[in-house]
Amino acid sequence: MKKCIIQTKDLCKSYINGKSGNHVLKNISVTFYEGDFTIIMGSSGSGKSTLLYSISTMDKPTGGSVNLLGQDITKIGEQEAARIRNKEISMVFQSINLLPDLTAKENVAYPGYRVGKKQEINEKVDELFASFGLTDQSNKHPAEMSGGQQQRVAIARALVTSPKILFADEPTGALNSSSSEQVLDLMTEINEQGQSIIMVTHDIKACARGNRLLFLSDGHITGDITLGKYNPEEKKEREETIFQFLKEHNW
Amino acid sequence: MWFKKLRYRKRQYIMIGSILLFTATILTMCVGFVGELGAYSKTCYTRKTCPDVYLYTAGKYDLEQEVEQEVAQNIEKIHQVDCTILQVPMKSNDRNIMVNTNYLTSGEQFMKFVDAGYVTIDSGKSAYPKEGEVWISKAQANPNSIEVGDTIQFGFDTVEELTVSAIYNGSFYTKGKGITIVNESFFKKHQIVMDRSIDAVNLKNATKEYSKEFKEATGVIGQAYTRAELMSEGSSGSSVIGKVGIIASGIVFILALAVIGYFIRTTIMKEYKNIGIYKSLGYETKEVVSLYKKGYLFVSAIALLLGSLIALPLIKMVCLAATTYLPGFELSRISVISVIVIPIILEGILWVSLKIVFKRLNEITPVEAIKDGNTASTDQIKKSVITNAKSSFAMAINHMFQYKKQSITIIAVMTFAITMSFLFIMTYYSCDNMDTNCNGWFSIPKGDCYVVGNIDETVIDYLKQNQEVKQFVYGSILHTQVDEFMGTHDIIGCKLIILNNTAEQITNIKPLQGRLPSAKDEIALSIVSAKQQNLEIGDYLTITLNNIEKEYLLTGYFGTMDDENEGSISGMLTSEAMEECFPTYRATLAVITLKKGVDMQAFRNRMEQEVQGVSVDQVYMALSTSISSIEDMLRNICRILIIIFLLFGFVIILNVLLMQTTNCQRQYGILKALGFTTGYIIRQNLWEYGILMTISTAIATILHNLFSTALLNMVLQINGARNYTPYTVTLALGGLGMVCVVTILLSLPIKKIAPKNLMEE
C-alpha cells in the first residue's frame, strides 16, 4: 500500500483583480503517493502551475485544504512554511532561478547548510556534481553555463537537502531537446532511487517518464491514469498511450 | 508607449522625481535667499527708508554750524531727534536688558523718524507712548523675549515700571545700540535732560565719497554711519551663510545626479532583455532611448518645477529670519525669476546626464540582451569573498563585494549627506556659542569670567594675589578716532583690541596668519581690514592716534565677525603701545581663567563684594548684547538649512534602499523558495546597509574632522568654528538607526508575498 504524501480537499485558487475574479483551481481533491513520478498535464491556462505552487507552500490557496506530509499547509505560518521548503520539499523551476552571484557549487550548498553540517553538505555536493557530470562547472557562475548545465545544477540544489518530495515546474521548458533528455534522464534516475517527484509539463516526451498522469482542464482534474515504471525500450508505445489519453481529453 | 512605461515603472519615477524635487527646492531656496537679501538690502536702505547718514552726537549741536561750509552746503535735510543716554539699568522678565549704549528719547521726538519713514512699528500701537508706556526696538525685544504687554523696570532709586506698548524696527545701526522711547513725563519725573541727539541726515550729493566726507567732518561731534555701512552690516552675516548654502546645494545637485544616474543605470540593466527585444523588432537605438528619455524628462520637469515652487515660502521664511531686525521684508521678482530659471537650468543639466547614461544602449546587441540572466555584462561575475557562506552576515559581505560599484555609490552618497549634515550642525553650534567662543569669533580673550570696570592697580593686584585665579589678561576694546593713516584708503576710526599679553596660551586667541603683536611698535589687523588696505605681514604702517604719530610693524592677521565698515579698521595693540598714545589710558576689561574646581558664581560674588566698581560675568556682556541679534538670526537660518539638508539625505537614502529592495525581489523569492525566512532576508539587508552606513559615517567623520572647521573658518574669515562631538555622535547614531528602521520597514512586505509572486518580474 503506497503511502500518501499530499492530499488536497476541495482545493481552490482564485485571483481577484479589481471587480473581476479569475477562478483557476475549482474544488480539486487529489492524492499523491510516495515514490511516484506524477505528471500534471493540461492546456495552457488550465491551472497546472497554480496547482503545483498551491500544494508546495509556494503560494496560498484561497479555499480548501492541503495536507502535505501530515500537515495542513493552508493553516501554517511563514516560519513553518520556510522550514518545509528547506527540509521537506524542494523546487525546480522552468526559469531555473539560480542565484546569479553564487557559483554552481555555492548555489547547491547554500540551502544545504541550513539542514546539515558544512563538511557533510560539501561532500554531498561533490557527489551530486560527480553523478550529474558537473564537476567541471562547480566554480562557474550561472551566466557562464549552458541552460542544460544550469538546470542540472538546479536539480542538484533541489536534492542536496534530501527532500521527501521534489516539485518541478516545466524543468525542460527552456531547454533544447538534448539538454531536456539529460534532465529527464536525471529525474528518472532519482525517481528510481525512491525520490517522489511531482512535475508539471506540456511535453509528451517528459510525460512518458512519469508513472502517473493527471490531466487538468479548466481548473478540474479530468483524467488520471497510471502508466507503470518507465522503460526506455517501450518509449514509443508509452508515448502512444499517453497521446491517446490526451486526445480523449481534448488536449 | 513612453507614458505606458512611465505608469508601469511608477515607483522608480516617483523616486527620481522626489530626489529632483528636493534638489530644486534646496537650490532655489539658497539662490533665492542670497538674491532676495541683496535686493532687499538695497530697497530697505533706500532714501525713503534710510537717511544718507545717521549721526549719534556727543552733545547738542547745530550741525550746519559745526561743519565746514563746503560740507554744510551738501546737507539737504536733517531730522534731529533729541535724546540722552540712559544711565540706569533696564530689566524685564527678571533679566537685565543689556545694551552697550541705550539712548532714551520721547515719543514726540521719535515721531520725527516715524514720520520720515525710517521706522516701522512691528507690533503694538502706533500712537507714541503714553505715561506708563514704553517702546523698544525688536533688536532689544527678541533676545530678551519681550513682547507687547510685558513690563520693563527702570533701575532708579525707586524702580519705575513701564508697559511695552509697541516694538519697532528701523534702519538704525543696531549693533550694541538701543533706542528706548518713553513719554515726555518720564523725563520730568526723573529730571532727565536730553543732552544729545541722533541726526538723520540727507545729503544733496549722496555718493559714497560725499557720505564719507560728511562722516569725517562730523567725527569730532559724534559717531556717524553711512547708508552703505548700515546695508553691509545688516546683511553680511546671513549673506555668508546663504553663499555657503549655495555651495552646499551645488554639491547636493551633483549628488542627486550621481544617485539618479545610478538608478537609471540599474534600470537599464534590468531592462536589458526588453531593450534587446525592442532592437530585435527593428527599433533603432535612438528610438529606444527616446522611450526612456521622454519618461525621465517629463517626470523631472514636473518635479523640478514643483520643487522650485515649494522653495518660495521657504525663501520667505529664511529671509524673514535674516531680516528680523529690519523693516517689512516681502518677496520680490527675484524669487519668481529663480523659480523659473533654476528648473530650466537643472533640466538642461539632467538632459546632458541622461545622454551620458544612455550612451550604453548603443553597445547592447539584441542577442546579448535577450540571453537569460540580469545582464550580459561580465561585471557581476565575481567570486565570493567568504566561501561556504551560510550566515546572513557572510552573505551580506559577499553581496557588498560582488556589487562593488553599487556599494561604492551608496557609500559616496551617504558620506556626502552625512558630511554636509555634520558641517551644518557644526555651523549651528558655532553660531550658538559665539559669546563663549569669543576668542575664535572676535579675537577677544577667552576665560571663565570677565571683569568689566576700571581695571586699575588695585584690581590687578587683587587678581595676582587671588589663589583661585590661574591666569588673567587685561586690556580694553574701544573705538577711537584716527587722526591720520598712511594706507591705501582713508581711515577715520578704528576699533582696537588692547591687551597686556597676547600669548595664545593665556588669551586662547589664534591668529589667522603671522602672530599677534608683542611689542609697543607692533600691530595686528583683522584680515578684512588688512585686505582692504592691501597690507601684508611685514609691512610698516603709520597711524596717528591722539596726535601722536607712530610706525607699527604689521605682525599678523586675526579674524573677527565684528569688523568695522569701510572707513575704519580693526586692529590689536599691546597696552604699552596704547599708553604711548594715550597716557591716561586705563584697562576696562580683565579676562580671568580660574583654577580647576573653583565655583565661578562664588568667585563672582566674592569679587564684586571685595572690589569696588567692577562687574563680573561669565561672558563678556558688551559683546553678548551686541551679537545677540546676529546669533539669533544665524541660528534660525542654520536650523532651517540643517532640517532641509537632513531631509534631503533621508530622501536619498530612502530611495536607494527602496531601489535595492525592488531590484532584489526576485532574489528574495528564490531564497524564500529555498526555505529562507523573511527574518533571514531582513538580517542580511540590515548587515549590508548597516555596514555601508557605518563605513560612510566613519569616512564622513574623518572628512569632517579634517576639513569642516578649516572650511567654515576660511569662509567666515575667523577661527570660531567649533565642533561639538555629542551633536555629531547623535546625528551619526540617529542616521544609523534610521537606516536600520527604514531597511526593516521596506523589507517587511516580503513576508506577506508568496515566493512565487516575488519571483515574477
Side-chain angles (χ1 to χ4, degrees):
Chain A
M1 184 77 173
K2 277 187 181 177
K3 189 178 168 189
C4 158
I5 51 173
I6 302 175
Q7 189 172 47
T8 74
K9 199 173 174 190
D10 297 326
L11 174 65
C12 296
K13 178 68 182 175
S14 304
Y15 295 98
I16 308 296
N17 193 356
K19 285 183 182 166
S20 62
N22 183 16
H23 306 290
V24 181
L25 301 178
K26 297 163 187 168
N27 297 313
I28 293 182
S29 297
V30 66
T31 307
F32 297 87
Y33 300 99
E34 193 180 28
D36 275 355
F37 191 157
T38 311
I39 307 291
I40 301 172
M41 197 147 176
S43 319
S44 181
S46 57
K48 325 183 276 298
S49 297
T50 308
L51 174 61
L52 192 81
Y53 290 133
S54 296
I55 62 174
S56 62
T57 76
M58 290 290 287
D59 202 358
K60 253 202 152 98
T62 43
S65 67
V66 178
N67 188 306
L68 173 70
L69 300 169
Q71 225 176 343
D72 184 353
I73 59 170
T74 56
K75 291 182 166 59
I76 59 173
E78 201 235 353
Q79 290 272 68
E80 183 56 23
R83 189 199 67 80
I84 291 171
R85 287 196 287 265
N86 187 227
K87 295 188 161 98
E88 313 282 359
I89 62 151
S90 54
M91 292 286 304
V92 177
F93 304 95
Q94 180 180 5
S95 50
I96 304 165
N97 286 338
L98 293 177
L99 292 165
D101 313 330
L102 306 180
T103 60
K105 193 167 180 182
E106 284 167 345
N107 260 291
V108 174
Y110 187 37
Y113 290 146
R114 292 172 70 82
V115 172
K117 288 183 182 164
K118 266 192 190 173
Q119 202 178 340
E120 285 170 15
I121 296 296
N122 286 340
E123 283 168 7
K124 190 164 184 185
V125 170
D126 290 336
E127 274 171 30
L128 284 166
F129 271 43
S131 59
F132 290 6
L134 291 169
T135 309
D136 291 343
Q137 311 300 320
S138 36
N139 290 322
K140 287 188 181 172
H141 286 79
E144 294 170 298
M145 297 189 282
S146 70
Q149 288 167 337
Q150 287 185 43
Q151 194 62 293
R152 280 184 284 152
V153 170
I155 295 170
R157 180 179 69 181
L159 294 176
V160 77
T161 54
S162 306
K164 295 192 175 73
I165 309 170
L166 173 65
F167 294 92
D169 181 16
E170 310 234 29
T172 59
L175 306 177
N176 58 29
S177 54
S178 159
S179 298
S180 298
E181 276 298 306
Q182 285 179 339
V183 168
L184 291 171
D185 286 343
L186 205 53
M187 293 182 79
T188 308
E189 197 185 314
I190 59 176
N191 174 247
E192 281 169 5
Q193 288 162 12
Q195 178 67 57
S196 308
I197 301 176
I198 301 172
M199 184 170 83
V200 160
T201 187
H202 62 269
D203 179 3
I204 292 185
K205 284 195 165 72
C207 271
R209 303 298 185 122
N211 65 314
R212 183 185 175 197
L213 173 59
L214 297 174
F215 189 81
L216 210 61
S217 173
D218 194 28
H220 298 284
I221 293 181
T222 56
D224 183 351
I225 60 164
T226 305
L227 295 167
K229 197 177 160 181
Y230 175 74
N231 186 348
E233 284 164 19
E234 293 167 5
K235 201 162 106 171
K236 265 201 168 142
E237 291 85 351
R238 204 174 171 94
E239 284 173 13
E240 189 54 45
T241 310
I242 291 166
F243 184 71
Q244 286 303 323
F245 168 76
L246 293 173
K247 207 172 157 183
E248 283 163 24
H249 289 84
N250 300 317
W251 181 70
Chain B
M1 185 67 175
W2 67 268
F3 199 71
K4 265 191 196 160
K5 196 166 251 325
L6 195 152
R7 278 169 59 190
Y8 183 67
R9 291 240 170 253
K10 248 193 318 244
R11 211 189 222 182
Q12 202 220 26
Y13 284 109
I14 288 171
M15 287 195 289
I16 289 173
S18 63
I19 293 172
L20 286 171
L21 188 141
F22 256 95
T23 309
T25 303
I26 295 170
L27 199 54
T28 309
M29 189 194 75
C30 291
V31 169
F33 167 58
V34 172
E36 285 284 4
L37 203 62
Y40 173 72
S41 297
K42 290 186 182 135
T43 58
C44 178
Y45 293 99
T46 61
R47 294 194 96 207
K48 283 186 185 166
T49 56
C50 177
D52 297 322
V53 183
Y54 273 114
L55 176 63
Y56 292 77
T57 64
K60 264 199 157 162
Y61 300 101
D62 181 347
L63 198 54
E64 278 160 325
Q65 298 297 318
E66 290 297 325
V67 299
E68 287 169 16
Q69 202 185 1
E70 212 177 281
V71 176
Q73 272 172 359
N74 195 22
I75 296 173
E76 186 184 77
K77 200 172 21 179
I78 304 173
H79 290 100
Q80 189 174 67
V81 166
D82 292 337
C83 61
T84 186
I85 291 179
L86 184 65
Q87 301 294 342
V88 299
M90 291 193 327
K91 216 172 173 180
S92 181
N93 301 325
D94 288 322
R95 281 171 61 181
N96 285 326
I97 302 169
M98 300 300 296
V99 183
N100 274 350
T101 318
N102 195 2
Y103 291 88
L104 186 74
T105 187
S106 68
E108 209 170 27
Q109 286 291 317
F110 195 67
M111 285 313 276
K112 293 176 195 172
F113 282 170
V114 176
D115 292 338
Y118 301 150
V119 172
T120 55
I121 307 301
D122 199 68
S123 51
K125 293 193 279 189
S126 53
Y128 56 76
K130 291 196 202 99
E131 200 173 330
E133 290 179 351
V134 62
W135 286 7
I136 56 168
S137 68
K138 200 170 178 183
Q140 283 176 278
N142 274 16
N144 295 289
S145 307
I146 299 171
E147 290 171 7
V148 169
D150 288 347
T151 53
I152 294 179
Q153 295 81 42
F154 290 78
F156 294 104
D157 292 336
T158 312
V159 171
E160 170 101 30
E161 189 172 271
L162 300 179
T163 307
V164 177
S165 60
I167 294 170
Y168 69 88
N169 245 341
S171 52
F172 313 113
Y173 182 75
T174 59
K175 236 196 276 182
K177 283 182 171 53
I179 306 176
T180 305
I181 299 98
V182 293
N183 187 269
E184 195 69 50
S185 60
F186 187 91
F187 288 87
K188 287 185 187 137
K189 186 176 178 182
H190 298 286
Q191 293 168 336
I192 299 171
V193 173
M194 289 194 244
D195 55 0
R196 54 189 74 215
S197 64
I198 303 169
D199 299 346
V201 182
N202 270 341
L203 303 171
K204 286 176 190 159
N205 187 341
T207 58
K208 241 182 176 177
E209 292 72 31
Y210 279 103
S211 298
K212 231 173 117 189
E213 186 186 72
F214 182 87
K215 181 174 164 151
E216 283 171 22
T218 55
V220 287
I221 58 168
Q223 221 170 357
Y225 303 94
T226 64
R227 190 186 309 115
E229 289 170 346
L230 292 171
M231 209 191 305
S232 164
E233 195 259 335
S235 62
S236 59
S238 44
S239 177
V240 166
I241 300 288
K243 281 167 189 162
V244 170
I246 290 181
I247 295 169
S249 34
I251 296 170
V252 157
F253 181 65
I254 294 166
L255 202 70
L257 277 184
V259 170
I260 287 163
Y262 157 71
F263 281 174
I264 294 171
R265 267 194 299 277
T266 312
T267 306
I268 299 294
M269 278 163 60
K270 280 204 80 173
E271 293 265 308
Y272 254 53
K273 202 170 186 169
N274 292 339
I275 292 166
I277 293 167
Y278 286 130
K279 284 194 167 190
S280 67
L281 292 173
Y283 279 81
E284 287 182 51
T285 304
K286 63 178 180 195
E287 286 170 305
V288 178
V289 165
S290 165
L291 273 175
Y292 291 95
K293 245 194 190 169
K294 277 181 185 158
Y296 289 124
L297 289 175
F298 176 74
V299 166
S300 60
I302 294 173
L304 290 172
L305 188 60
L306 257 177
S308 288
L309 285 169
I310 290 169
L312 272 177
L314 292 174
I315 293 171
K316 187 163 184 180
M317 194 163 51
V318 179
C319 284
L320 281 173
T323 59
T324 308
Y325 306 117
L326 295 171
F329 170 81
E330 289 296 334
L331 286 178
S332 74
R333 64 177 180 195
I334 286 180
S335 295
V336 175
I337 295 170
S338 304
V339 163
I340 295 167
V341 168
I342 285 173
I344 293 172
I345 295 172
L346 292 180
E347 183 81 345
I349 295 170
L350 186 71
W351 185 81
V352 170
S353 317
L354 286 175
K355 262 196 117 161
I356 297 167
V357 171
F358 283 122
K359 222 172 120 186
R360 211 191 160 125
L361 286 185
N362 282 328
E363 300 157 11
I364 303 174
T365 64
V367 155
E368 235 179 4
I370 288 172
K371 201 169 95 177
D372 203 8
N374 279 340
T375 174
S377 161
T378 55
D379 278 355
Q380 289 181 348
I381 301 177
K382 295 259 179 351
K383 287 197 177 146
S384 304
V385 168
I386 302 174
T387 52
N388 297 335
K390 173 187 170 182
S391 66
S392 52
F393 173 75
M395 290 305 289
I397 298 287
N398 284 341
H399 192 258
M400 271 166 51
F401 277 92
Q402 276 158 348
Y403 292 91
K404 265 201 200 106
K405 271 188 196 167
Q406 181 178 288
S407 300
I408 288 168
T409 304
I410 292 171
I411 288 172
V413 165
M414 289 194 194
T415 302
F416 270 118
I418 298 166
T419 310
M420 275 196 314
S421 304
F422 281 171
L423 174 67
F424 276 100
I425 281 197
M426 186 189 76
T427 308
Y428 176 88
Y429 177 73
S430 302
C431 291
D432 203 28
N433 288 278
M434 266 191 196
D435 50 5
T436 51
N437 285 316
C438 52
N439 53 320
W441 284 92
F442 302 99
S443 292
I444 291 170
K446 180 174 168 146
D448 296 316
C449 54
Y450 295 77
V451 181
V452 173
N454 187 15
I455 310 297
D456 57 16
E457 289 301 321
T458 316
V459 177
I460 293 168
D461 286 335
Y462 175 87
L463 292 172
K464 275 182 183 167
Q465 286 158 20
N466 194 309
Q467 297 299 312
E468 291 176 314
V469 172
K470 182 181 171 187
Q471 62 191 24
F472 68 98
V473 61
Y474 58 89
S476 303
I477 293 147
L478 51 88
H479 289 85
T480 187
Q481 200 170 326
V482 170
D483 299 317
E484 215 172 312
F485 179 80
M486 310 289 265
T488 319
H489 301 97
D490 290 338
I491 295 297
I492 54 166
C494 61
K495 188 191 85 181
L496 291 172
I497 300 169
I498 315 293
L499 296 169
N500 73 309
N501 189 341
T502 58
E504 191 180 330
Q505 59 265 36
I506 295 179
T507 62
N508 291 301
I509 300 171
K510 199 175 165 177
L512 292 176
Q513 280 182 55
R515 60 175 178 83
L516 299 177
S518 55
K520 62 182 179 183
D521 53 357
E522 291 179 349
I523 189 169
L525 291 180
S526 73
I527 195 163
V528 169
S529 298
K531 283 195 175 140
Q532 271 173 2
Q533 297 295 329
N534 289 327
L535 290 166
E536 287 179 7
I537 294 169
D539 286 349
Y540 283 87
L541 44 150
T542 309
I543 308 173
T544 306
L545 294 170
N546 201 26
N547 287 315
I548 296 170
E549 183 182 297
K550 270 200 72 178
E551 196 177 63
Y552 298 94
L553 168 68
L554 181 59
T555 59
Y557 308 138
F558 62 89
T560 179
M561 282 290 284
D562 198 20
D563 253 309
E564 291 301 288
N565 296 308
E566 214 180 303
S568 292
I569 54 168
S570 298
M572 190 183 288
L573 289 172
T574 61
S575 300
E576 250 186 299
M578 196 62 185
E579 282 158 9
E580 274 203 355
C581 297
F582 294 90
T584 57
Y585 163 76
R586 289 287 177 271
T588 54
L589 169 70
V591 182
I592 300 166
T593 305
L594 299 172
K595 285 182 180 164
K596 226 176 183 176
V598 173
D599 178 45
M600 187 261 150
Q601 286 300 332
F603 173 83
R604 174 193 178 174
N605 294 336
R606 264 195 298 280
M607 187 167 176
E608 282 183 344
Q609 275 174 6
E610 290 167 9
V611 180
Q612 298 301 316
V614 295
S615 69
V616 184
D617 281 294
Q618 205 167 357
V619 292
Y620 181 33
M621 291 309 292
L623 175 71
S624 194
T625 50
S626 73
I627 62 167
S628 60
S629 54
I630 305 169
E631 255 188 332
D632 206 32
M633 175 189 69
L634 290 177
R635 260 201 305 261
N636 287 337
I637 296 169
C638 278
R639 252 186 227 128
I640 294 166
L641 286 174
I642 287 168
I643 289 168
I644 287 169
F645 280 107
L646 279 177
L647 265 176
F648 176 77
F650 174 73
V651 164
I652 289 270
I653 291 162
L654 177 69
N655 279 319
V656 167
L657 287 174
L658 204 57
M659 177 120 239
Q660 282 294 99
T661 46
T662 308
N663 287 347
C664 291
Q665 291 269 74
R666 189 158 177 265
Q667 192 149 338
Y668 297 154
I670 297 169
L671 287 174
K672 279 187 99 169
L674 294 173
F676 291 89
T677 59
T678 308
Y680 179 93
I681 295 167
I682 290 174
R683 280 196 300 278
Q684 185 176 330
N685 286 342
L686 275 174
W687 277 120
E688 185 171 350
Y689 298 118
I691 291 168
L692 290 173
M693 183 71 180
T694 305
I695 294 170
S696 307
T697 307
I699 298 171
T701 305
I702 293 167
L703 288 174
H704 175 65
N705 286 330
L706 282 177
F707 299 114
S708 292
T709 308
L711 179 67
L712 189 62
N713 281 337
M714 186 183 75
V715 167
L716 296 175
Q717 304 264 314
I718 52 164
N719 258 326
R722 289 290 178 272
N723 219 353
Y724 188 52
T725 311
Y727 281 178
T728 48
V729 167
T730 305
L731 178 69
L733 289 175
L736 186 61
M738 179 208 70
V739 165
C740 291
V741 166
V742 168
T743 305
I744 293 169
L745 289 175
L746 291 177
S747 306
L748 276 177
I750 301 164
K751 191 171 184 176
K752 294 203 173 124
I753 307 173
K756 170 188 157 283
N757 296 333
L758 282 171
M759 286 190 289
E760 281 166 6
E761 280 185 287

